[in-house]
Amino acid sequence: MTDTIFGKIISGEIPAKIVYEDKQCLAFRDLNPQAPVHILVVPKKSIVKVADATESDKELLGHLLFVASNIAKDEGVGGAFRLVINNGETAGQSVFHLHVHLLAGRNFSWPPG
Ligand code: AMP
Protein backbone atom coordinates (compact mmCIF):
# COMPACT_ATOMS: atom_id res chain seq x y z
CA MET A 1 0.00 0.00 0.00
CA THR A 2 1.34 3.45 -0.88
CA ASP A 3 1.65 5.90 1.97
CA THR A 4 -0.91 8.35 0.61
CA ILE A 5 -4.05 9.63 2.26
CA PHE A 6 -6.03 7.14 0.13
CA GLY A 7 -3.81 4.27 1.26
CA LYS A 8 -4.64 5.26 4.84
CA ILE A 9 -8.37 5.36 4.04
CA ILE A 10 -8.17 1.89 2.44
CA SER A 11 -6.34 0.48 5.47
CA GLY A 12 -8.88 2.09 7.82
CA GLU A 13 -6.25 4.30 9.43
CA ILE A 14 -8.22 7.45 8.69
CA PRO A 15 -11.99 7.74 8.25
CA ALA A 16 -13.97 8.47 5.11
CA LYS A 17 -17.62 8.48 4.08
CA ILE A 18 -17.56 5.13 2.29
CA VAL A 19 -20.35 4.48 -0.22
CA TYR A 20 -19.13 1.22 -1.81
CA GLU A 21 -16.50 -1.46 -1.26
CA ASP A 22 -15.54 -4.72 -2.92
CA LYS A 23 -12.39 -6.85 -3.17
CA GLN A 24 -10.80 -4.56 -5.75
CA CYS A 25 -11.85 -1.04 -4.85
CA LEU A 26 -13.24 1.42 -2.35
CA ALA A 27 -15.46 4.44 -3.08
CA PHE A 28 -15.94 7.36 -0.71
CA ARG A 29 -17.16 10.96 -0.78
CA ASP A 30 -14.65 13.64 -1.66
CA LEU A 31 -13.69 15.83 1.32
CA ASN A 32 -13.90 18.99 -0.81
CA PRO A 33 -16.80 18.28 -3.18
CA GLN A 34 -16.88 20.08 -6.53
CA ALA A 35 -20.45 19.01 -7.28
CA PRO A 36 -23.49 17.85 -5.26
CA VAL A 37 -22.30 14.28 -5.92
CA HIS A 38 -18.52 13.92 -5.80
CA ILE A 39 -17.25 10.43 -5.08
CA LEU A 40 -13.80 8.95 -5.54
CA VAL A 41 -13.44 5.36 -6.76
CA VAL A 42 -10.05 4.04 -5.69
CA PRO A 43 -8.39 0.69 -6.43
CA LYS A 44 -7.11 -1.11 -3.35
CA LYS A 45 -4.00 -1.93 -5.35
CA SER A 46 -1.58 0.98 -5.04
CA ILE A 47 -1.16 2.27 -8.58
CA VAL A 48 0.31 5.80 -8.48
CA LYS A 49 -1.40 7.07 -11.61
CA VAL A 50 -3.27 5.63 -14.57
CA ALA A 51 -0.19 5.90 -16.79
CA ASP A 52 1.54 3.45 -14.42
CA ALA A 53 -1.10 0.77 -14.92
CA THR A 54 0.15 -2.35 -16.67
CA GLU A 55 -1.37 -4.95 -18.98
CA SER A 56 -2.39 -6.95 -15.91
CA ASP A 57 -4.39 -3.96 -14.57
CA LYS A 58 -6.71 -3.74 -17.60
CA GLU A 59 -9.57 -5.59 -15.93
CA LEU A 60 -9.18 -3.47 -12.78
CA LEU A 61 -9.32 -0.22 -14.79
CA GLY A 62 -12.54 -1.34 -16.45
CA HIS A 63 -13.92 -2.37 -13.07
CA LEU A 64 -13.37 1.14 -11.67
CA LEU A 65 -15.46 2.68 -14.49
CA PHE A 66 -18.18 0.04 -14.12
CA VAL A 67 -18.36 0.62 -10.35
CA ALA A 68 -18.46 4.41 -10.84
CA SER A 69 -21.38 4.06 -13.25
CA ASN A 70 -23.26 1.78 -10.83
CA ILE A 71 -22.68 4.22 -7.96
CA ALA A 72 -24.07 7.03 -10.14
CA LYS A 73 -27.23 4.96 -10.58
CA ASP A 74 -27.41 4.31 -6.82
CA GLU A 75 -27.02 8.05 -6.18
CA GLY A 76 -29.91 8.80 -8.58
CA VAL A 77 -27.68 10.54 -11.14
CA GLY A 78 -27.19 7.66 -13.58
CA GLY A 79 -28.42 9.73 -16.51
CA ALA A 80 -25.80 12.49 -16.32
CA PHE A 81 -22.43 12.38 -14.66
CA ARG A 82 -18.78 13.07 -15.40
CA LEU A 83 -15.84 10.74 -14.69
CA VAL A 84 -12.41 12.33 -14.37
CA ILE A 85 -8.95 10.84 -13.90
CA ASN A 86 -6.18 13.39 -13.35
CA ASN A 87 -2.83 11.90 -14.37
CA GLY A 88 0.18 13.83 -13.07
CA GLU A 89 0.59 17.10 -11.22
CA THR A 90 0.13 19.47 -14.16
CA ALA A 91 -3.08 17.65 -15.07
CA GLY A 92 -4.42 18.34 -11.58
CA GLN A 93 -3.49 15.18 -9.69
CA SER A 94 -2.81 15.92 -6.03
CA VAL A 95 -3.10 12.47 -4.44
CA PHE A 96 -0.73 9.96 -5.98
CA HIS A 97 -2.89 6.87 -5.73
CA LEU A 98 -5.00 6.31 -8.85
CA HIS A 99 -8.63 7.41 -8.46
CA VAL A 100 -11.67 8.10 -10.60
CA HIS A 101 -13.73 11.19 -9.73
CA LEU A 102 -17.49 10.71 -10.13
CA LEU A 103 -19.11 14.15 -10.39
CA ALA A 104 -22.81 14.84 -10.84
CA GLY A 105 -25.74 16.95 -9.79
CA ARG A 106 -24.94 20.15 -11.66
CA ASN A 107 -24.17 21.27 -15.19
CA PHE A 108 -20.58 20.88 -16.42
CA SER A 109 -18.88 22.95 -19.09
CA TRP A 110 -16.42 21.83 -21.74
CA PRO A 111 -13.50 22.21 -22.15
CA PRO A 112 -12.60 21.65 -18.49
CA GLY A 113 -10.34 24.19 -16.76
P1 AMP B 1 -6.80 14.76 -7.56
O1 AMP B 1 -6.52 16.24 -7.43
O2 AMP B 1 -7.36 14.33 -8.87
O3 AMP B 1 -5.59 13.95 -7.13
O4 AMP B 1 -7.97 14.46 -6.51
C1 AMP B 1 -7.73 14.29 -5.15
C2 AMP B 1 -9.04 14.48 -4.45
O5 AMP B 1 -8.95 13.92 -3.16
C3 AMP B 1 -9.45 15.96 -4.26
O6 AMP B 1 -10.70 16.18 -4.89
C4 AMP B 1 -9.53 16.11 -2.75
O7 AMP B 1 -10.58 16.95 -2.34
C5 AMP B 1 -9.74 14.68 -2.29
N1 AMP B 1 -9.31 14.36 -0.96
C6 AMP B 1 -8.13 14.68 -0.37
N2 AMP B 1 -8.08 14.17 0.87
C7 AMP B 1 -9.24 13.51 1.08
C8 AMP B 1 -9.79 12.77 2.16
N3 AMP B 1 -9.11 12.60 3.31
N4 AMP B 1 -11.01 12.23 2.02
C9 AMP B 1 -11.71 12.40 0.87
N5 AMP B 1 -11.25 13.07 -0.19
C10 AMP B 1 -10.03 13.63 -0.09
Side-chain angles (χ1 to χ4, degrees):
M1 194 60 60
T2 50
D3 190 32
T4 67
I5 199 90
F6 293 171
K8 291 190 169 101
I9 289 172
I10 291 164
S11 68
E13 217 177 306
I14 66 164
K17 290 183 181 166
I18 294 168
V19 298
Y20 176 83
E21 179 169 16
D22 64 26
K23 272 165 57 177
Q24 297 182 87
C25 70
L26 187 69
F28 49 88
R29 298 194 190 278
D30 197 291
L31 204 57
N32 181 25
Q34 302 301 311
V37 175
H38 188 173
I39 290 166
L40 303 170
V41 185
V42 182
K44 291 184 175 175
K45 179 178 177 183
S46 57
I47 300 168
V48 172
K49 57 189 191 299
V50 70
D52 293 336
T54 64
E55 185 81 18
S56 65
D57 296 318
K58 278 163 67 174
E59 191 273 336
L60 174 60
L61 296 181
H63 183 68
L64 299 177
L65 298 186
F66 188 69
V67 164
S69 177
N70 281 341
I71 293 171
K73 287 176 195 145
D74 291 345
E75 293 280 319
V77 294
F81 57 87
R82 182 174 285 186
L83 302 181
V84 173
I85 299 173
N86 296 321
N87 184 89
E89 209 166 347
T90 54
Q93 187 174 6
S94 61
V95 178
F96 289 87
H97 182 130
L98 170 62
H99 50 283
V100 178
H101 294 259
L102 164 62
L103 297 141
R106 66 169 172 84
N107 291 335
F108 297 101
S109 58
W110 194 264

